[in-house]
Amino acid sequence: STDNSIKGKYVRLDFSASGEVSSMTNLKTGLKVPLSQNFFYYEGMTGNNTKGEFQASGAYIFRPQKNEPTKLSLKFFAGIQRGVLVQEAYQQVTNWVSQVYRIYEDKPYVEVEWTVGPVPVADHIGKEVITRYHLDGFENKKTFYTDANGREILERVLNYRPTWQLKQTEPVAGNYYPVNSFISIKDTKKNVQFTVLVDRAQGGTSLNEGDVELMLHRRLLVDDGKGVGEALDERDIDGKGLVTRGTHYLLLDSIENSSRLYRPTAQDIFLTPAISFSTAEVSPVQYV
Amino acid sequence: KEQLNILASALGTAQHHDAITGTEKQAVVFDYEERLANGVNQVQNVVQDVYNKLMPKGGAAAPEQLFCTQLNISLCSVTANLTNLQVTLYNPLAREAKYYVRLPVSGTKYTVYQSDGKTTVQNDVLPISPGTAQIPLPTNRTAHFEVVFLASVPALGFSTYFVRRQSTSNVLRFQREYYRTQV
């Protein structure tokens, strides 16, 4: 098929011929934006005592070695599945990173299920894996929004603090903020808001215009010297690095409509139904 | 109350800043995990008690409720091989919830009935994603598909859906497009 898109009643996602996301459309309003998404990793700072740069990246401290992360290019597009209720597209990025894009017929969001790990460290480089959504031509004017534990929404401005004169010494980490429920960017000229809801607290930022960046998984080899006394190198019982899986929910709408979407969606994510099963060997009618 | 308190206590312990942010030592991680798992196991008994109470007086007790804590990686020994399953959902929201249920299964054709036991609801059967399939597990997967259906659950209430496997069929009920593009 040449139709590289998945859609439901409310949203559509298009993919390029090579399987990378190319655009997102709100089918209710007709709003369409060019969208790309890639995985990267920052190399964790190991520290250097002789140069006075002892502070390593670790459990307490995020401190990348370089300000530009290394890109993990898409290895292959593993196809699309179309059901009546759900459509899915599969991406394999590396041997240790994969992703499913999923659109349910009746939901206004794109569900992105990412799987990362075990992060390879045989090269003795600690890695901090991020995903970066990018809307080309989007002007959020160095401003993005994060929530405070799902309550107040706080405006974050790149390299700026509202109550003191900031001398920025960490161009990446100094712009990372807690994302408990969601992170969003707004283009007031085009009246577009792009929102990413998370299923767990993560770190997030918007370092470039049109970017939403979220930290997914960290595996580091050096203790940051802040008290834990161990490197952030969590392993399973067999000694292998952890595989982590989580979900992002992407929403696209006008600025005035967005909160009507992200607030109920955040509730649905936080308080999902509790599922239990039983196996009584009776017919449904008898059971009722 | 005693059973609930085991989870409440574990969650209280996990309010420590090291547990919240992940700055605890690995041995402490294991300890938090054990406490939380014990708490969750106890709360599953409480769920059973609640459903027993909701059954009509003088009638049978609710069937034994079974739980799957690894549905996020499409693992559930309960759903994997069964041909006749009741799925009960409790909605903690104070409004109706529309929730897409995904259950790992080994068959390819299922019928899902609503809580009246008569009306069928649409379902899809999809293969589990390639990314899920490659997650290393201690044992082999028995479920290679997922059945998906939309459940509607009333505010602060529960619904039961009935999932029945149809006679074995290799005809998958979805349109499959498979193309691998090397980049």
Side-chain angles (χ1 to χ4, degrees):
Chain A
S1 172
T2 53
D3 179 14
N4 269 16
S5 68
I6 54 173
K7 66 174 182 178
K9 212 184 285 177
Y10 301 107
V11 62
R12 189 179 78 214
L13 203 61
D14 297 306
F15 295 84
S16 67
S18 55
E20 283 150 332
V21 177
S22 59
S23 67
M24 180 174 172
T25 308
N26 180 329
L27 295 174
K28 207 174 159 196
T29 61
L31 179 65
K32 182 177 180 179
V33 293
L35 173 70
S36 60
Q37 179 271 334
N38 285 289
F39 290 94
F40 300 81
Y41 67 83
Y42 290 105
E43 291 180 19
M45 183 79 171
T46 52
N48 187 337
N49 213 6
T50 57
K51 291 184 182 173
E53 295 173 348
F54 184 69
Q55 184 58 65
S57 197
Y60 284 88
I61 304 292
F62 167 40
R63 195 179 188 215
Q65 182 86 31
K66 295 179 272 188
N67 293 330
E68 282 305 315
T70 304
K71 186 177 171 182
L72 298 166
S73 296
L74 185 66
K75 201 168 161 191
F76 61 83
F77 188 43
I80 286 175
Q81 301 284 357
R82 294 182 210 283
V84 178
L85 303 174
V86 61
Q87 301 192 359
E88 303 182 347
Y90 308 126
Q91 290 180 332
Q92 189 71 39
V93 181
T94 65
N95 292 339
W96 49 279
V97 176
S98 65
Q99 191 160 249
V100 181
Y101 281 96
R102 190 172 283 143
I103 296 179
Y104 288 106
E105 180 65 14
D106 258 348
K107 297 289 183 187
Y109 51 77
V110 177
E111 185 178 303
V112 187
E113 187 183 66
W114 49 268
T115 305
V116 178
V119 176
V121 288
D123 55 4
H124 304 293
I125 295 173
K127 298 176 182 69
E128 319 207 24
V129 182
I130 61 155
T131 183
R132 193 183 274 175
Y133 302 94
H134 176 69
L135 281 72
D136 211 26
F138 200 89
E139 290 178 21
N140 53 302
K141 296 191 167 57
K142 299 183 177 180
T143 304
F144 56 102
Y145 299 84
T146 62
D147 68 293
N149 284 335
R151 297 176 297 221
E152 188 179 7
I153 296 155
L154 301 173
E155 184 180 272
R156 314 293 196 180
V157 180
L158 213 57
N159 300 319
Y160 172 78
R161 302 290 185 273
T163 52
W164 80 94
Q165 193 71 36
L166 174 70
K167 186 183 169 216
Q168 184 64 275
T169 55
E170 292 287 341
V172 176
N175 286 302
Y176 258 71
Y177 289 92
V179 177
N180 297 289
S181 174
F182 75 88
I183 177 170
S184 69
I185 51 175
K186 299 176 188 177
D187 186 327
T188 49
K189 206 160 38 171
K190 294 176 186 159
N191 190 20
V192 179
Q193 180 167 344
F194 177 68
T195 308
V196 182
L197 288 117
V198 293
D199 63 346
R200 70 199 64 189
Q202 295 181 319
T205 187
S206 173
L207 295 176
N208 310 294
E209 291 295 282
D211 272 5
V212 170
E213 177 174 321
L214 285 157
M215 179 71 75
L216 304 180
H217 189 25
R218 312 173 67 209
R219 190 176 186 192
L220 298 161
L221 306 173
V222 179
D223 173 42
D224 60 14
K226 292 289 179 185
V228 67
E230 290 177 2
L232 186 64
D233 181 15
E234 196 173 349
R235 297 154 191 246
D236 66 14
I237 204 142
D238 299 322
K240 292 183 199 129
L242 292 189
V243 181
T244 58
R245 160 166 286 187
T247 311
H248 292 157
Y249 304 84
L250 316 184
L251 290 168
L252 179 73
D253 211 322
S254 62
I255 294 169
E256 61 270 20
N257 281 347
S258 284
S259 57
R260 289 199 185 97
L261 289 180
Y262 69 67
R263 287 193 184 280
T265 304
Q267 291 172 349
D268 288 343
I269 296 166
F270 186 61
L271 291 169
T272 55
I275 304 181
S276 58
F277 305 97
S278 57
T279 59
E281 281 299 326
V282 292
S283 72
V285 174
Q286 281 174 303
Y287 185 99
V288 172
Chain B
K1 196 172 181 182
E2 278 175 21
Q3 289 179 320
L4 281 174
N5 275 344
I6 294 171
L7 180 60
S9 170
L11 286 170
T13 305
Q15 298 305 304
H16 185 271
H17 62 84
D18 279 345
I20 294 290
T21 56
T23 48
E24 73 277 49
K25 285 179 185 287
Q26 184 66 56
V28 182
V29 173
F30 291 143
D31 188 52
Y32 285 145
E33 286 172 353
E34 188 177 343
R35 286 164 188 267
L36 288 166
N38 286 340
V40 168
N41 289 340
Q42 293 298 322
V43 164
Q44 290 174 353
N45 297 331
V46 177
V47 173
Q48 177 75 52
D49 292 345
V50 170
Y51 285 136
N52 286 344
K53 281 199 171 181
L54 290 170
M55 295 296 276
K57 273 187 180 169
E64 185 190 359
Q65 298 298 304
L66 306 163
F67 297 83
C68 289
T69 54
Q70 292 177 305
L71 284 174
N72 67 322
I73 54 168
S74 306
L75 274 187
C76 177
S77 60
V78 182
T79 63
N81 293 308
L82 280 171
T83 53
N84 187 15
L85 181 73
Q86 296 95 44
V87 183
T88 302
L89 300 103
Y90 175 77
N91 172 21
L93 285 171
R95 58 169 165 81
E96 185 191 22
K98 300 270 189 189
Y99 181 72
Y100 282 97
V101 179
R102 299 181 73 92
L103 304 176
V105 290
S106 47
T108 56
K109 197 173 181 187
Y110 287 81
T111 305
V112 180
Y113 297 92
Q114 283 186 177
S115 51
D116 63 3
K118 296 173 190 165
T119 317
T120 57
V121 293
Q122 178 77 51
N123 72 84
D124 282 338
V125 179
L126 305 168
I128 62 168
S129 70
T132 302
Q134 73 179 26
I135 293 175
L137 301 173
T139 54
N140 288 334
R141 277 184 186 280
T142 51
H144 297 284
F145 301 93
E146 280 183 306
V147 62
V148 182
F149 61 93
L150 181 62
S152 172
V153 197
L156 300 169
F158 72 94
S159 288
T160 299
Y161 284 74
F162 304 90
V163 181
R164 291 171 83 87
R165 184 174 173 174
Q166 298 303 294
S167 55
T168 311
S169 165
N170 289 324
V171 182
L172 300 184
R173 295 179 60 202
F174 54 85
Q175 176 192 348
R176 182 166 191 179
E177 297 163 15
Y178 189 82
Y179 39 95
R180 264 169 91 116
T181 312
Q182 293 290 343
V183 178

